[in-house]
Amino acid sequence: MAETARHPAHRYGTRPTMKDVAARAGVGLKTVSRVVNGEAGVTADTERRVQEAIEALGFRRNDSARVLRKGRTASIGLVLEDLADPFYGPLSRAVEEVARAHGALLINGSSAEDPDREQELALALCARRVDGLIVIPAGDDHRYLEPEIRAGIATVFVDRPAGRIDADVVLSDSFGGARAGVAHLIAHGHRRIGFIGDQPRIHTAVERLRGYRAAMEDAGLAVNDAWVSLGSTEPERVREATAAMLAGPEPVTAVFAGNNRVTVTVVRELAGRERPVAFVGFDDIELADLLGITVIAQDAAALGRTAAERLFRRLDGFDDAPARTVLDTVLIPRGSGEIAPPS
């Protein structure tokens, strides 16, 4: 043990090179390069010796150097809001599938809803020479990316538009979805409907609130200020907002939740109350079908896939004007949104 401590084995930094393969196989470096890159001009016996040397040494081709010589790194970056949010799982997976189909590696990270962290992460990915970026914005000013875009980094925004620059964006119909969800509650007899949403600086929160107000206006219903609450999606804040709307002589009889995190907290809050309260949430959540939760579902995988396909279209040389793509949402009635108000 003491001898091992004085002379530790070198486990890192000794990756075998093509020179090592050439020496073991007894061939020239160019021959190894041809075998590794699938080029012609090598006899079957020589190729066999090179492949045996590759396997014995554990050699791996240096794709970074190869693609850099071609001016492409075969990688794209994805800046998410929160890696822990279930909504971003299928979105990220769809982006990765498209990237893989194009022979590219996906590198992702989380902004944690912090504009400064978003900028830091996006620029760090650019510094590592990714070919393109897909960004779910945390901030509202993306002029910091203009030099990178001019330098050839294709950029597509998803879920929320870019701020103060013109760029491709893929969105869900937040306005239309919220409008449909609130109209559904109105159709089931509700007139006092609460809205609990995310931070007012977030595009999707503003659009869903706008959809709520439009549905109420369509039905000729006034909106009491006490029925609307925007802010953090932290459970305590959402619980307090829910409790406030359900208190007083004329409480709301239905609640519309602006996203999946709000939905989870509101469902827990409503579960402990004797008087039934109708509920519709924006975003589907796990077990919503078993719990009977009516939702406005958006297709996160389609968002990611559409954004990635747009990105690779840019990388393939299409230089048409930036496009705004809006994907439909779907109302899924499961019971909670169909509860009638108290008589």
Side-chain angles (χ1 to χ4, degrees):
M1 292 295 291
E3 184 67 21
T4 302
R6 285 196 299 270
H7 302 286
H10 295 288
R11 297 178 56 202
Y12 306 107
T14 56
R15 178 178 294 179
T17 67
M18 283 202 293
K19 287 183 179 180
D20 298 324
V21 174
R24 186 179 182 94
V27 300
L29 189 61
K30 181 61 178 176
T31 299
V32 176
S33 177
R34 284 174 176 163
V35 173
V36 167
N37 291 299
E39 298 174 2
V42 182
T43 67
D45 181 64
T46 299
E47 182 176 0
R48 177 186 55 77
R49 296 206 321 270
V50 171
Q51 292 291 3
E52 287 175 352
I54 288 172
E55 184 175 347
L57 293 171
F59 170 80
R60 294 292 180 271
R61 181 175 65 183
N62 186 347
D63 280 338
S64 296
R66 182 173 64 93
V67 295
L68 280 172
R69 287 195 296 271
K70 296 182 177 181
R72 294 273 292 271
T73 61
S75 62
I76 63 170
L78 172 60
V79 179
L80 298 164
E81 175 207 334
D82 183 356
L83 290 170
D85 189 330
F87 174 75
Y88 295 115
L91 187 153
S92 177
R93 186 165 58 250
V95 172
E96 185 173 22
E97 288 172 355
V98 174
R100 184 180 180 189
H102 285 80
L105 177 71
L106 176 66
I107 307 169
N108 62 29
S110 170
S111 69
E113 204 63 79
D114 181 343
D116 292 334
R117 184 166 169 177
E118 173 213 298
Q119 178 174 340
E120 179 184 351
L121 177 57
L123 292 179
L125 289 167
C126 292
R128 283 157 178 78
R129 295 176 61 88
V130 294
D131 297 313
L133 285 175
I134 295 177
V135 181
I136 297 171
D140 56 7
D141 187 350
H142 293 91
R143 289 176 296 176
Y144 70 86
L145 280 173
E146 285 182 331
E148 311 299 333
I149 294 172
R150 284 196 300 269
I153 303 245
T155 305
V156 176
F157 291 81
V158 64
D159 192 43
R160 308 164 189 173
R164 307 186 73 175
I165 65 170
D166 195 15
D168 291 314
V169 60
V170 181
L171 308 168
S172 289
D173 186 6
S174 287
F175 170 79
R179 189 177 194 175
V182 175
H184 185 73
L185 291 168
I186 294 171
H188 283 80
H190 296 277
R191 299 296 178 264
R192 301 193 303 273
I193 302 171
F195 178 93
I196 304 177
D198 209 331
Q199 303 277 6
R201 62 181 173 79
I202 296 175
H203 171 80
T204 49
V206 173
E207 285 297 287
R208 291 166 195 175
L209 175 59
R210 193 167 69 87
Y212 160 81
R213 291 189 181 279
M216 297 291 278
E217 183 178 348
D218 291 343
L221 300 175
V223 175
N224 189 317
D225 289 343
W227 300 347
V228 175
S229 178
L230 296 181
S232 164
T233 57
E234 289 298 316
E236 186 58 32
R237 201 284 300 183
V238 176
R239 279 195 295 268
E240 290 176 358
T242 306
M245 291 180 187
L246 295 173
E250 289 192 329
V252 299
T253 62
V255 176
F256 184 87
N259 66 26
N260 57 352
R261 285 166 291 186
V262 174
T263 291
V264 170
T265 302
V266 173
V267 167
R268 286 174 173 159
E269 180 68 18
L270 297 182
R273 294 179 174 267
E274 293 183 7
R275 181 173 64 85
V277 178
F279 176 76
V280 175
F282 201 110
D283 288 339
D284 210 353
I285 62 171
E286 190 175 5
L287 301 182
D289 54 338
L290 296 178
L291 297 173
I293 301 171
T294 298
V295 299
I296 300 296
Q298 54 179 333
D299 191 337
L303 280 171
R305 183 170 54 254
T306 304
E309 288 171 350
R310 184 70 186 176
L311 184 75
F312 281 98
R313 178 181 170 87
R314 289 289 183 201
L315 291 173
D316 286 339
F318 288 90
D319 60 354
D320 48 338
R324 181 185 181 95
T325 305
V326 181
L327 305 184
D328 290 336
T329 56
V330 178
L331 171 67
I332 305 177
R334 295 187 176 123
S336 71
E338 296 69 56
I339 298 172
S343 55

